[in-house]
Amino acid sequence: MNAQELTAIIVAAKAASYVGDGHSVYPCRTGAHDVRWSDGAWHYLDSYFGGTDFIGQETLWHHHEPIWSMVYYGRILQPERIDAGRAGATIKAALAALYREGRFLGGHRWEGPHGVYDDTSDGDALSFSGHETITVGGAIAYRLDYFGGLIRA
C-alpha cells in the first residue's frame, strides 16, 4: 500500500469519527473515550483520555491486523483565551476543511470565530510528526503534538 492509498482510508476514518461525531463505543480502557469506524476489512479506533488536556491514540486495522497508528497530546495553554469547547469547535471545523482536501497532514491554516488554527508536519502517512496550534489574540492558546506511521511485524 502506498502513502496515497493509506491517506485516503485514514481521511475517511477520521472524517467519520471525531470530526463527524462518529460512533462512540464502550471504552476498551477505563476512563477512555473511544470512537470507532469500520468499512469492510478496515477498522479504526480513536481512544483518548481527558478533555481540556488530553492524550490519545488512533489505530487502523486491515483484516484485523494493526497496520497504522498515531499518538497525540493536546492541551489548553491559555485558558483565559480559549476553553475546551471553543478549541474543540475550531479543531473540528479546521479538520473538516482539511479532510475535504483529501489529506490529514500539515500545511493547513484555517481562521474561525475562536482563533486561527495552524497544522504543520513532516513526512507522509507512512511516517510523520507534527503539531497543531490555535492562536487567539496573537498568542498560541492551544497546542497538540502528534506522530505516527506504519506498523510492521
Side-chain angles (χ1 to χ4, degrees):
M1 170 170 288
N2 67 38
Q4 287 181 325
E5 293 168 331
L6 182 59
T7 295
I9 296 296
I10 293 166
V11 167
K14 286 174 160 285
S17 58
Y18 172 73
V19 168
D21 296 322
H23 181 65
S24 292
V25 296
Y26 188 79
C28 60
R29 300 172 294 174
T30 303
H33 306 275
D34 286 6
V35 181
R36 290 188 187 274
W37 170 87
S38 294
D39 185 7
W42 295 100
H43 302 281
Y44 166 90
L45 173 67
D46 182 0
S47 183
Y48 65 94
F49 295 94
T52 300
D53 295 0
F54 56 95
I55 192 164
Q57 179 180 20
E58 300 172 29
T59 304
L60 181 67
W61 291 262
H62 188 244
H63 292 290
H64 304 288
E65 292 292 325
I67 64 159
W68 177 90
S69 193
M70 176 179 119
V71 296
Y72 56 86
Y73 175 69
R75 62 222 174 269
I76 301 293
L77 301 173
Q78 296 193 21
E80 67 280 2
R81 292 183 184 266
I82 198 165
D83 61 22
R86 291 180 297 174
T90 300
I91 294 162
K92 282 186 175 187
L95 291 178
L98 180 64
Y99 300 160
R100 284 192 296 272
E101 295 176 6
R103 59 196 187 95
F104 74 96
L105 290 171
H108 183 66
R109 174 173 267 223
W110 184 88
E111 295 186 35
H114 306 301
V116 177
Y117 172 96
D118 283 296
D119 184 359
T120 59
S121 66
D122 293 311
D124 61 20
L126 305 178
S127 179
F128 59 90
S129 64
H131 65 270
E132 66 182 17
T133 59
I134 300 173
T135 302
V136 180
I140 296 175
Y142 159 87
R143 179 180 173 107
L144 177 135
D145 296 293
Y146 60 86
F147 63 93
L150 288 180
I151 299 168
R152 298 181 190 190

